[in-house]
Amino acid sequence: MSTAVLEPLCPAAFNSLSHIDTMPEYRQVDHTCYGRVLRSHDLSDTIGVHLVHKHFDLQENEVVVTLLTNDPNAPMQTKVQQHHADLLPYMFHFVPGQGWKATQYIHKTTPGMEDSLNAVMGNAKLKTALENLLLQRQEFQTFGFHIRIPSIGDTCTTEETDEVLREQVFRTVAPNAMKFVPTTWCFDIDEKGTVQCKCTTECVRDGY
């Protein structure tokens, strides 16, 4: 698995992903098994886990792109754009029989992201270990992996989606009276070497 062959999930497959409003609430899920694999490759501070889902559909050659802002209260946005060469895949999940597919992108100039992605994608042993664990736990349709954005770190954000414009805003302070479901997690190693997992993003979900 390398950046050169990490193709986007095709629109038909992306559009068949479960919508956030239909996803179970994985608030008590234990991801530390993935964290232990990442720690064994010295990548537990580079890679996170996310819930594989969609908020809207894509057309041919469209991808979801993460944009960083200068607003500390809303440090990220996502927008649907045409796929182009200046975009870097940073969220991906395993599709049995097809390999790893990209589901979200960020600009190549984002500091630290390309080096981290190359370190991950060039690690064949890590890829095999994660694939085997996903298959063993039957979680390949539910969870994927992503490169953690250095400037965001482990800041916890909440997401709101405009499904008409197909845009999202990620805020560091949750709006009142909103219902959220966890969607991304990261790993920390404590002083005893134990892997700790914590939620870093929660998305608005209707239908509670």
Side-chain angles (χ1 to χ4, degrees):
M1 185 170 58
S2 69
T3 56
V5 298
L6 188 57
E7 299 176 350
L9 191 67
C10 71
F14 184 95
N15 297 343
S16 71
L17 297 176
S18 296
H19 191 277
I20 187 63
D21 290 348
T22 69
M23 297 299 293
E25 185 178 358
Y26 290 98
R27 199 166 291 277
Q28 303 300 322
V29 70
D30 182 9
H31 292 306
T32 53
C33 58
Y34 298 113
R36 288 191 290 272
V37 170
L38 296 172
R39 180 184 61 179
S40 71
H41 291 267
D42 294 323
L43 289 169
S44 57
D45 60 348
T46 302
I47 306 178
V49 175
H50 64 265
L51 185 68
V52 176
H53 65 284
K54 68 171 185 177
H55 291 261
F56 34 69
D57 289 344
L58 297 178
Q59 303 296 322
E60 194 64 33
N61 203 45
E62 290 183 336
V63 293
V64 182
V65 180
T66 294
L67 305 169
L68 303 182
T69 77
N70 293 319
D71 183 352
N73 296 318
M76 289 191 301
Q77 301 174 347
T78 68
K79 295 185 178 183
V80 174
Q81 298 182 358
Q82 293 289 306
H83 186 266
H84 57 84
D86 291 332
L87 295 177
L88 187 76
Y90 85 102
M91 300 186 79
F92 36 87
H93 77 277
F94 177 63
V95 181
Q98 298 182 40
W100 295 85
K101 298 292 183 179
T103 54
Q104 200 152 314
Y105 289 74
I106 198 166
H107 202 276
K108 279 186 176 179
T109 59
T110 307
M113 294 297 285
E114 190 161 17
D115 287 344
S116 294
L117 185 64
N118 287 333
V120 172
M121 296 303 159
N123 191 327
K125 290 183 178 179
L126 172 64
K127 179 188 75 170
T128 299
L130 292 177
E131 289 173 4
N132 290 339
L133 197 52
L134 287 165
L135 290 168
Q136 176 188 335
R137 293 168 62 92
Q138 291 292 295
E139 292 183 336
F140 53 86
Q141 292 181 311
T142 309
F143 298 111
F145 299 91
H146 59 273
I147 306 300
R148 293 170 61 180
I149 302 172
S151 63
I152 302 298
D154 59 0
T155 300
C156 188
T157 59
T158 56
E159 168 277 332
E160 297 173 68
T161 298
D162 185 322
E163 295 194 18
V164 175
L165 295 178
R166 296 187 299 170
E167 297 180 354
Q168 298 170 291
V169 176
F170 294 79
R171 305 183 189 280
T172 55
V173 178
N176 292 329
M178 291 247 181
K179 306 282 187 168
F180 295 95
V181 60
T183 51
T184 71
W185 297 264
C186 73
F187 302 103
D188 288 319
I189 311 300
D190 67 16
E191 64 277 3
K192 296 181 180 179
T194 303
V195 175
Q196 305 288 333
C197 179
K198 65 178 180 179
C199 176
T200 51
T201 305
E202 298 197 20
C203 290
V204 173
R205 188 184 75 173
D206 292 331
Y208 269 77

